[in-house]
């Protein structure tokens, strides 16, 4: 799965080892909220790609898909123990994972090295090492140009797509089609960070969600995590913060769902109000940060 339409040969910059290490240090010091691993790897990756571009370098991205994404018969996810003990289930579960890839000249070879501060906070690693860390059987991966931001899923199977090849359903062809011998779900309609995602600040919102969630964990959950008298409160907080869908529903969307219902929100209205304010401040911060990077990129392109 190395060659496909969304990977441009030699587009990523080739860095010497010292430059790569210097850039990695800048990324680690940029305040990117990678400690909250429940979600938003695509937003972290896209921000890092913009940060690198503002320095004059192009990266790629590596996408890893669990069988649940591409197979109708296998529900396996990328899953590992939640070391922070914030998840209600005790595990972190991903359908996919993505991280930036840089090309590094090491000796007489150019190596594809992955930057993933959540999994490898101290160094970039070879992409095979990154894939092995995910510990998921039948994992598939794509290495792609960095401007591809996210993908749309579809309930249409490859077989249906082939069957309906002359019908209207095929008007918008997917830009990547996984081989039919192992993939029977159409999942690879990738799109760039533009239009709705750009206008609605998906990257900035994702970073603000992660930063707010980890602050909630450090301030509100961690001090009482193992306190017997606070276990009911810990349970509620885990349901709120440890499930990213619930957290985004409350703080990003100002909405509700069957778990974050009216009773729950009334019960915890004071702390919800507190962290809605924190989320808003974080969102403004990341909007300014990304706007600054984009302005630098624009000026470089004009030159």
């Amino acid at each position: 799965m190395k060659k496909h339409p969304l990977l441009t040969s030699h587009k990523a910059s080739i860095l010497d080892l010292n430059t790569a290490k210097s850039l990695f240090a800048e990324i680690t010091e940029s305040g990117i909220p990678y400690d909250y691993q429940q979600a938003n790897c695509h937003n972290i990756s896209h921000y890092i790609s913009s940060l690198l571009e503002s320095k004059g370098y192009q990266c790629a991205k590596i996408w890893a898909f669990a069988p649940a994404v591409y197979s109708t018969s296998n529900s396996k996810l990328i899953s590992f123990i939640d070391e922070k003990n914030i998840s209600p289930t005790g595990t972190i579960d991903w359908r996919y994972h993505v991280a930036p890839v840089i090309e590094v000249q090491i000796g007489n070879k150019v190596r594809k090295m992955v930057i993933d501060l959540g999994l490898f906070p101290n160094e970039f690693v070879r992409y095979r090492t990154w894939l092995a860390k995910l510990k998921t059987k039948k994992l598939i991966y794509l290495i792609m140009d960095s401007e591809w931001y996210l993908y749309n899923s579809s309930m249409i199977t490859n077989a249906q797509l082939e069957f309906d090849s002359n019908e209207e359903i095929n008007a918008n062809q997917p830009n990547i089609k996984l081989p039919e011998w192992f993939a029977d779900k159409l999942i690879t309609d990738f799109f760039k960070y533009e239009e709705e995602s750009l206008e609605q600040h998906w990257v900035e919102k994702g970073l603000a969600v992660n930063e707010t969630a980890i602050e909630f964990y450090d301030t509100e959950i961690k001090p009482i995590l193992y306190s017997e008298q606070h276990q009911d409160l810990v349970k509620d907080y885990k349901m709120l913060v440890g499930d990213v869908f619930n957290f985004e529903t409350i703080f990003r969307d100002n909405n509700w769902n069957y778990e974050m219902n009216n009773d729950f929100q009334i019960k915890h209205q004071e702390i919800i109000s507190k962290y809605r304010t924190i989320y808003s401040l974080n969102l403004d911060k990341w909007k300014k940060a990304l706007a600054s990077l984009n302005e630098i990129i624009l000026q470089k392109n004009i030159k």
Side-chain angles (χ1 to χ4, degrees):
M1 298 304 299
K2 295 180 182 178
K3 296 180 179 179
H4 50 81
L6 305 187
L7 176 62
T8 304
S9 180
H10 307 302
K11 184 172 184 177
S13 306
I14 298 177
L15 312 175
D16 64 75
L17 189 56
N18 287 335
T19 300
K21 288 181 177 179
S22 177
L23 289 170
F24 183 84
E26 286 193 54
I27 291 167
T28 60
E29 294 166 5
S30 65
I32 295 170
Y34 60 87
D35 282 349
Y36 183 68
Q37 292 190 287
Q38 268 72 0
N40 287 305
C41 57
H42 61 294
N43 289 315
I44 289 173
S45 297
H46 209 74
Y47 185 84
I48 291 174
S49 73
S50 295
L51 178 58
L52 290 173
E53 190 175 356
S54 75
K55 304 291 182 182
Y57 303 104
Q58 290 283 343
C59 67
K61 291 176 183 174
I62 184 168
W63 295 79
F65 298 101
V69 176
Y70 65 81
S71 173
T72 58
S73 60
N74 191 334
S75 60
K76 179 72 174 177
L77 300 170
I78 301 167
S79 183
F80 51 92
I81 300 298
D82 178 16
E83 295 181 359
K84 285 186 169 58
N85 195 15
I86 183 176
S87 169
T89 65
T91 62
I92 304 292
D93 299 302
W94 299 329
R95 291 173 58 81
Y96 71 92
H97 192 44
V98 57
V101 172
I102 54 176
E103 301 259 27
V104 183
Q105 182 84 40
I106 301 176
N108 60 355
K109 293 186 177 180
V110 175
R111 302 288 190 185
K112 290 180 172 63
M113 309 296 280
V114 179
I115 298 172
D116 191 336
L117 300 176
L119 297 181
F120 299 93
N122 300 317
E123 60 183 353
F124 46 79
V125 297
R126 293 181 65 174
Y127 80 94
R128 296 272 182 198
T129 303
W130 182 82
L131 289 168
K133 181 76 171 180
L134 300 179
K135 295 181 180 179
T136 307
K137 291 182 179 180
K138 298 185 178 179
L139 196 71
I140 64 171
Y141 72 93
L142 301 170
I143 298 177
M144 305 172 59
D145 290 346
S146 62
E147 61 259 38
W148 296 102
Y149 168 65
L150 195 54
Y151 68 95
N152 288 314
S153 297
S154 173
M155 294 307 294
I156 302 171
T157 66
N158 283 340
Q160 284 177 296
L161 188 68
E162 190 73 23
F163 181 77
D164 296 325
S165 60
N166 296 318
E167 298 182 15
E168 186 176 346
I169 194 172
N170 227 23
N172 295 313
Q173 284 286 328
N175 44 28
I176 293 178
K177 185 178 176 184
L178 301 178
E180 294 179 11
W181 53 269
F182 68 87
D184 59 4
K185 289 166 70 175
L186 177 60
I187 55 94
T188 50
D189 184 18
F190 280 85
F191 59 92
K192 298 180 180 181
Y193 193 64
E194 57 190 13
E195 298 177 347
E196 182 182 4
S197 55
L198 175 64
E199 293 164 6
Q200 297 186 12
H201 303 285
W202 288 7
V203 166
E204 298 97 314
K205 287 178 179 178
L207 295 171
V209 161
N210 281 28
E211 185 167 10
T212 307
I214 205 63
E215 183 172 346
F216 194 111
Y217 169 78
D218 287 338
T219 306
E220 313 297 342
I221 299 178
K222 195 173 181 180
I224 64 171
L225 188 57
Y226 300 107
S227 169
E228 291 185 9
Q229 68 191 64
H230 293 103
Q231 284 309 295
D232 287 343
L233 184 59
V234 169
K235 182 180 178 181
D236 279 2
Y237 283 177
K238 282 187 175 184
M239 187 165 63
L240 171 61
V241 185
D243 184 325
V244 69
F245 174 70
N246 288 343
F247 196 80
E248 289 177 340
T249 295
I250 292 290
F251 297 105
R252 185 192 66 187
D253 304 334
N254 288 300
N255 211 328
W256 61 274
N257 61 40
Y258 74 96
E259 287 185 330
M260 302 291 100
N261 56 29
N262 194 52
D263 290 341
F264 185 96
Q265 296 196 42
I266 290 174
K267 180 180 179 182
H268 299 291
Q269 58 184 326
E270 186 174 336
I271 202 158
I272 286 174
S273 177
K274 173 184 175 181
Y275 280 89
R276 277 180 172 158
T277 299
I278 291 171
Y279 169 78
S280 180
L281 292 171
N282 287 333
L283 178 57
D284 287 342
K285 181 186 78 172
W286 287 111
K287 282 181 178 179
K288 291 175 183 176
L290 188 57
S292 177
L293 294 181
N294 288 335
E295 180 62 28
I296 294 171
I297 293 167
L298 179 62
Q299 292 302 318
K300 285 182 179 294
N301 291 336
I302 290 174
K303 293 178 182 179

